[in-house]
Coordinates of all heavy atoms in Angstrom, one line a residue:
P204 N 25.4 -67.5 22.5 CA 23.9 -67.5 22.6 C 23.2 -66.5 21.6 O 22.7 -65.5 21.9 CB 23.7 -67.0 24.1 CG 24.9 -66.2 24.4 CD 26.0 -66.9 23.7
M205 N 23.3 -67.0 20.4 CA 22.7 -66.2 19.2 C 21.4 -66.8 18.9 O 21.3 -68.0 18.5 CB 23.7 -66.3 18.0 CG 25.1 -65.7 18.3 SD 26.3 -66.2 17.1 CE 25.5 -65.8 15.5
P206 N 20.3 -66.0 18.9 CA 19.0 -66.6 18.6 C 18.9 -67.2 17.2 O 18.1 -68.2 17.0 CB 18.1 -65.3 18.6 CG 18.8 -64.3 19.3 CD 20.3 -64.6 19.2
E207 N 19.7 -66.7 16.2 CA 19.6 -67.3 14.9 C 20.1 -68.8 14.9 O 19.7 -69.5 14.0 CB 20.4 -66.5 13.9 CG 21.8 -66.2 14.3 CD 22.0 -64.8 15.0 OE1 21.2 -64.5 15.9 OE2 22.9 -64.1 14.5
L208 N 20.9 -69.2 15.8 CA 21.3 -70.6 15.9 C 20.1 -71.5 16.2 O 19.9 -72.5 15.6 CB 22.4 -70.8 17.0 CG 23.7 -70.2 16.6 CD1 24.6 -70.2 17.9 CD2 24.4 -71.0 15.5
I209 N 19.2 -71.0 17.1 CA 18.0 -71.8 17.5 C 17.1 -71.7 16.3 O 16.4 -72.8 16.0 CB 17.4 -71.2 18.8 CG1 18.4 -71.2 19.9 CG2 16.1 -71.9 19.1 CD1 18.9 -72.5 20.3
A210 N 16.9 -70.6 15.7 CA 16.0 -70.5 14.5 C 16.4 -71.5 13.4 O 15.5 -72.1 12.8 CB 16.0 -69.1 14.0
R211 N 17.7 -71.6 13.1 CA 18.1 -72.5 12.1 C 17.9 -74.0 12.5 O 17.4 -74.8 11.7 CB 19.6 -72.3 11.8 CG 20.2 -73.2 10.7 CD 19.5 -72.9 9.3 NE 20.2 -73.5 8.2 CZ 19.9 -73.4 7.0 NH1 18.9 -72.7 6.6 NH2 20.6 -74.1 6.0
A212 N 18.1 -74.3 13.8 CA 17.8 -75.6 14.3 C 16.4 -76.0 14.1 O 16.0 -77.1 13.8 CB 18.3 -75.7 15.8
E213 N 15.5 -75.0 14.4 CA 14.1 -75.2 14.3 C 13.6 -75.5 12.9 O 12.7 -76.2 12.6 CB 13.3 -74.0 14.9 CG 13.5 -73.9 16.4 CD 12.8 -75.0 17.2 OE1 12.1 -75.8 16.6 OE2 13.0 -75.0 18.4
E214 N 14.4 -74.8 11.9 CA 14.1 -75.1 10.5 C 14.3 -76.6 10.1 O 13.5 -77.2 9.4 CB 14.9 -74.2 9.6 CG 14.6 -72.7 9.6 CD 15.4 -72.0 8.6 OE1 15.6 -72.4 7.4 OE2 16.0 -70.9 9.0
W215 N 15.4 -77.1 10.6 CA 15.6 -78.6 10.4 C 14.6 -79.4 11.1 O 14.1 -80.4 10.5 CB 17.0 -78.9 10.8 CG 18.1 -78.4 10.0 CD1 19.1 -77.4 10.3 CD2 18.4 -78.8 8.6 NE1 19.9 -77.2 9.3 CE2 19.6 -78.0 8.2 CE3 17.9 -79.7 7.8 CZ2 20.1 -78.1 7.0 CZ3 18.5 -79.8 6.5 CH2 19.6 -79.1 6.1
L216 N 14.3 -79.1 12.4 CA 13.4 -79.9 13.1 C 12.0 -79.9 12.6 O 11.2 -80.8 12.7 CB 13.3 -79.4 14.6 CG 14.6 -79.7 15.4 CD1 14.5 -79.0 16.8 CD2 14.8 -81.2 15.6
A217 N 11.6 -78.8 11.8 CA 10.3 -78.7 11.2 C 10.0 -79.7 10.2 O 8.9 -80.0 9.9 CB 10.1 -77.3 10.6
E218 N 11.1 -80.4 9.7 CA 10.9 -81.4 8.7 C 10.3 -82.7 9.3 O 9.8 -83.6 8.6 CB 12.2 -81.8 8.0 CG 12.8 -80.6 7.2 CD 13.9 -81.1 6.3 OE1 14.3 -82.3 6.3 OE2 14.5 -80.2 5.6
G219 N 10.3 -82.8 10.7 CA 9.8 -84.0 11.3 C 10.7 -85.1 11.4 O 11.8 -85.1 10.7
M220 N 10.4 -86.1 12.3 CA 11.3 -87.2 12.6 C 11.1 -88.3 11.6 O 10.0 -88.7 11.3 CB 11.1 -87.7 14.0 CG 11.6 -86.7 15.1 SD 13.4 -86.5 15.1 CE 13.4 -84.8 14.6
D221 N 12.2 -88.9 11.2 CA 12.2 -89.9 10.2 C 12.4 -91.3 10.9 O 13.4 -92.0 10.6 CB 13.3 -89.7 9.1 CG 14.7 -89.6 9.7 OD1 14.8 -88.8 10.7 OD2 15.6 -90.2 9.2
I222 N 11.5 -91.7 11.7 CA 11.7 -92.9 12.5 C 10.3 -93.6 12.6 O 9.3 -92.9 12.8 CB 12.2 -92.5 13.9 CG1 12.6 -93.8 14.7 CG2 11.3 -91.7 14.7 CD1 13.4 -93.5 16.0
T223 N 10.3 -94.9 12.5 CA 9.1 -95.7 12.7 C 8.7 -95.8 14.1 O 9.4 -95.5 15.0 CB 9.2 -97.1 12.1 OG1 10.1 -97.9 12.9 CG2 9.8 -97.0 10.6
E224 N 7.5 -96.3 14.3 CA 7.0 -96.5 15.7 C 7.8 -97.5 16.4 O 8.0 -97.4 17.7 CB 5.5 -97.0 15.6 CG 4.5 -95.9 15.3 CD 4.4 -94.9 16.4 OE1 4.5 -95.2 17.6 OE2 4.3 -93.7 16.1
D225 N 8.4 -98.4 15.7 CA 9.3 -99.5 16.3 C 10.7 -99.0 16.5 O 11.6 -99.8 17.0 CB 9.2 -100.8 15.5 CG 7.9 -101.5 15.7 OD1 7.4 -101.5 16.8 OD2 7.4 -102.0 14.7
G226 N 11.1 -97.8 16.0 CA 12.4 -97.3 16.3 C 13.4 -97.3 15.2 O 14.6 -97.2 15.5
E227 N 13.0 -97.5 14.0 CA 14.0 -97.6 12.9 C 14.1 -96.3 12.2 O 13.1 -95.7 11.8 CB 13.5 -98.6 11.9 CG 14.4 -98.8 10.7 CD 13.9 -99.8 9.7 OE1 14.1 -101.0 9.9 OE2 13.2 -99.4 8.7
W228 N 15.4 -95.8 12.1 CA 15.7 -94.6 11.4 C 15.7 -94.8 9.9 O 15.9 -96.0 9.5 CB 17.0 -94.0 11.8 CG 17.1 -93.5 13.2 CD1 17.7 -94.0 14.3 CD2 16.4 -92.3 13.7 NE1 17.5 -93.2 15.4 CE2 16.7 -92.2 15.1 CE3 15.7 -91.3 13.1 CZ2 16.3 -91.1 15.9 CZ3 15.2 -90.2 13.9 CH2 15.5 -90.1 15.3
T229 N 15.6 -93.8 9.1 CA 15.5 -93.9 7.6 C 16.6 -94.8 7.1 O 16.4 -95.7 6.2 CB 15.6 -92.5 7.0 OG1 14.4 -91.8 7.3 CG2 15.8 -92.6 5.5
E230 N 17.9 -94.6 7.5 CA 19.0 -95.3 6.9 C 19.2 -96.7 7.3 O 20.0 -97.4 6.8 CB 20.3 -94.4 7.1 CG 20.2 -93.1 6.4 CD 21.1 -92.0 7.0 OE1 20.7 -91.4 8.0 OE2 22.2 -91.8 6.5
R231 N 18.4 -97.2 8.3 CA 18.4 -98.6 8.8 C 19.8 -99.0 9.1 O 20.2 -100.2 8.8 CB 17.8 -99.5 7.7 CG 16.5 -99.0 7.1 CD 15.9 -99.9 6.1 NE 15.0 -100.9 6.8 CZ 14.7 -102.1 6.2 NH1 15.2 -102.4 5.0 NH2 13.9 -102.9 6.9
S232 N 20.6 -98.2 9.6 CA 22.0 -98.4 9.8 C 22.3 -98.7 11.3 O 22.7 -97.8 12.1 CB 22.8 -97.2 9.4 OG 24.2 -97.3 9.7
N233 N 22.1 -100.0 11.7 CA 22.2 -100.4 13.1 C 23.7 -100.3 13.6 O 23.9 -100.1 14.7 CB 21.7 -101.8 13.3 CG 20.2 -101.9 12.9 OD1 19.5 -101.0 13.1 ND2 19.9 -103.1 12.4
G234 N 24.6 -100.4 12.6 CA 26.0 -100.4 13.0 C 26.7 -99.0 13.1 O 27.7 -98.9 13.8
I235 N 26.1 -98.0 12.4 CA 26.8 -96.7 12.4 C 25.8 -95.6 12.8 O 25.9 -94.9 13.8 CB 27.4 -96.4 11.1 CG1 28.5 -97.5 10.8 CG2 28.1 -95.0 11.1 CD1 29.1 -97.3 9.4
Y236 N 24.8 -95.3 11.9 CA 24.1 -94.1 11.9 C 22.9 -94.0 12.9 O 22.4 -92.9 13.2 CB 23.6 -93.7 10.5 CG 24.8 -93.3 9.6 CD1 25.3 -94.2 8.7 CD2 25.5 -92.2 9.8 CE1 26.4 -93.9 7.9 CE2 26.6 -91.8 9.1 CZ 27.1 -92.7 8.1 OH 28.2 -92.4 7.4
N237 N 22.5 -95.1 13.5 CA 21.6 -95.1 14.6 C 22.1 -94.2 15.7 O 21.5 -93.3 16.2 CB 21.3 -96.5 15.2 CG 20.3 -97.3 14.4 OD1 19.8 -96.8 13.3 ND2 20.0 -98.5 14.8
T238 N 23.4 -94.5 16.1 CA 23.9 -93.8 17.2 C 24.2 -92.3 16.9 O 24.2 -91.4 17.7 CB 25.2 -94.4 17.7 OG1 26.1 -94.6 16.6 CG2 24.9 -95.7 18.4
V239 N 24.5 -92.0 15.6 CA 24.7 -90.7 15.2 C 23.4 -89.9 15.4 O 23.4 -88.8 16.0 CB 25.1 -90.6 13.7 CG1 25.0 -89.2 13.1 CG2 26.5 -91.2 13.5
S240 N 22.3 -90.4 15.0 CA 21.0 -89.7 15.2 C 20.7 -89.6 16.7 O 20.2 -88.6 17.2 CB 19.9 -90.4 14.4 OG 20.1 -90.3 13.0
D241 N 20.9 -90.7 17.4 CA 20.5 -90.8 18.8 C 21.3 -89.8 19.6 O 20.7 -89.0 20.4 CB 20.8 -92.2 19.4 CG 19.9 -93.2 18.8 OD1 18.8 -92.9 18.2 OD2 20.1 -94.4 19.0
I242 N 22.6 -89.7 19.5 CA 23.4 -88.8 20.3 C 23.2 -87.4 19.9 O 23.2 -86.5 20.8 CB 24.9 -89.2 20.3 CG1 25.7 -88.6 21.5 CG2 25.5 -88.7 19.0 CD1 25.4 -89.3 22.8
S243 N 22.9 -87.1 18.6 CA 22.6 -85.8 18.2 C 21.3 -85.3 18.8 O 21.2 -84.1 19.2 CB 22.5 -85.8 16.6 OG 23.8 -86.1 16.1
L244 N 20.3 -86.1 18.7 CA 19.0 -85.7 19.2 C 19.0 -85.5 20.8 O 18.3 -84.7 21.3 CB 17.9 -86.6 18.8 CG 17.5 -86.4 17.3 CD1 16.5 -87.5 16.9 CD2 16.9 -85.0 17.1
Y245 N 19.9 -86.3 21.4 CA 20.0 -86.2 22.9 C 20.5 -84.8 23.2 O 19.9 -84.1 24.1 CB 21.0 -87.2 23.4 CG 21.3 -87.0 24.9 CD1 20.5 -87.7 25.8 CD2 22.3 -86.2 25.3 CE1 20.8 -87.5 27.2 CE2 22.6 -86.0 26.7 CZ 21.8 -86.7 27.6 OH 22.0 -86.5 28.9
H246 N 21.5 -84.3 22.5 CA 22.0 -83.0 22.8 C 21.0 -81.9 22.3 O 20.9 -80.8 23.0 CB 23.4 -82.8 22.1 CG 24.5 -83.6 22.8 ND1 24.8 -83.4 24.1 CD2 25.3 -84.5 22.3 CE1 25.8 -84.2 24.4 NE2 26.1 -84.9 23.3
T247 N 20.3 -82.1 21.2 CA 19.3 -81.1 20.8 C 18.2 -81.0 21.8 O 17.8 -79.9 22.2 CB 18.8 -81.6 19.4 OG1 19.8 -81.7 18.5 CG2 17.8 -80.5 18.9
A248 N 17.7 -82.1 22.3 CA 16.6 -82.1 23.3 C 17.1 -81.4 24.6 O 16.4 -80.7 25.2 CB 16.2 -83.5 23.5
R249 N 18.3 -81.7 25.0 CA 18.9 -81.2 26.2 C 19.0 -79.7 26.2 O 18.6 -79.0 27.1 CB 20.2 -81.9 26.4 CG 21.0 -81.3 27.6 CD 22.4 -82.0 27.8 NE 23.2 -81.8 26.6 CZ 23.9 -80.7 26.5 NH1 23.9 -79.7 27.3 NH2 24.7 -80.5 25.4
V250 N 19.6 -79.2 25.1 CA 19.8 -77.7 25.0 C 18.6 -76.9 24.7 O 18.3 -75.9 25.3 CB 20.9 -77.4 23.9 CG1 21.2 -75.9 23.8 CG2 22.2 -78.1 24.3
L251 N 17.8 -77.4 23.8 CA 16.6 -76.7 23.3 C 15.4 -76.9 24.2 O 14.3 -76.4 23.9 CB 16.3 -77.0 21.9 CG 17.3 -76.8 20.8 CD1 16.8 -77.0 19.4 CD2 18.0 -75.4 21.0
N252 N 15.5 -77.7 25.2 CA 14.4 -78.1 26.1 C 13.2 -78.6 25.3 O 12.1 -78.2 25.4 CB 13.9 -76.8 26.9 CG 13.0 -77.2 28.0 OD1 13.0 -78.4 28.5 ND2 12.1 -76.3 28.4
R253 N 13.6 -79.7 24.5 CA 12.6 -80.3 23.7 C 12.5 -81.8 24.1 O 13.0 -82.7 23.5 CB 13.0 -80.3 22.2 CG 13.0 -78.9 21.6 CD 11.6 -78.4 21.3 NE 11.0 -79.2 20.2 CZ 11.1 -79.0 18.9 NH1 11.7 -77.9 18.5 NH2 10.5 -79.8 18.1
P254 N 11.8 -82.1 25.3 CA 11.8 -83.4 25.8 C 11.2 -84.4 24.9 O 11.5 -85.6 25.0 CB 11.0 -83.3 27.1 CG 10.2 -82.0 27.0 CD 11.1 -81.1 26.1
E255 N 10.3 -84.0 24.0 CA 9.6 -85.0 23.1 C 10.7 -85.6 22.2 O 10.4 -86.8 21.7 CB 8.6 -84.3 22.3 CG 9.0 -83.3 21.2 CD 9.3 -81.9 21.8 OE1 9.4 -81.7 23.0 OE2 9.5 -81.0 20.9
L256 N 11.8 -85.0 22.0 CA 12.8 -85.6 21.1 C 13.5 -86.8 21.8 O 13.9 -87.7 21.1 CB 13.9 -84.6 20.7 CG 13.4 -83.4 19.9 CD1 14.6 -82.4 19.6 CD2 12.8 -83.8 18.6
F257 N 13.5 -86.9 23.1 CA 14.1 -88.0 23.8 C 13.3 -89.3 23.4 O 13.9 -90.4 23.4 CB 14.1 -87.8 25.3 CG 15.1 -86.8 25.8 CD1 14.7 -85.7 26.5 CD2 16.4 -87.0 25.5 CE1 15.6 -84.8 26.9 CE2 17.4 -86.1 26.0 CZ 16.9 -85.0 26.7
E258 N 12.0 -89.2 23.1 CA 11.2 -90.4 22.9 C 11.7 -91.1 21.6 O 11.7 -92.3 21.6 CB 9.7 -90.0 22.8 CG 8.8 -91.2 22.5 CD 9.0 -92.4 23.6 OE1 9.3 -92.0 24.8 OE2 8.9 -93.5 23.2
H259 N 12.2 -90.4 20.6 CA 12.7 -91.0 19.4 C 14.0 -91.8 19.7 O 14.2 -92.9 19.2 CB 12.9 -90.0 18.4 CG 11.7 -89.1 18.1 ND1 10.5 -89.6 17.7 CD2 11.5 -87.7 18.2 CE1 9.6 -88.6 17.5 NE2 10.2 -87.5 17.9

Side-chain angles (χ1 to χ4, degrees):
M205 300 163 52
E207 51 265 48
L208 290 168
I209 302 301
R211 183 64 169 180
E213 294 291 353
E214 287 183 50
W215 289 112
L216 290 170
E218 295 192 2
M220 290 294 111
D221 56 313
I222 191 170
T223 69
E224 285 295 320
D225 287 320
E227 179 181 278
W228 292 108
T229 291
E230 291 156 282
R231 312 182 89 200
S232 174
N233 300 327
I235 301 175
Y236 291 105
N237 280 1
T238 52
V239 169
S240 292
D241 291 347
I242 200 73
S243 296
L244 285 174
Y245 175 88
H246 290 300
T247 302
R249 176 182 62 80
V250 178
L251 301 190
N252 191 26
R253 294 282 296 269
E255 70 276 12
L256 297 179
F257 287 121
E258 181 53 34
H259 308 300

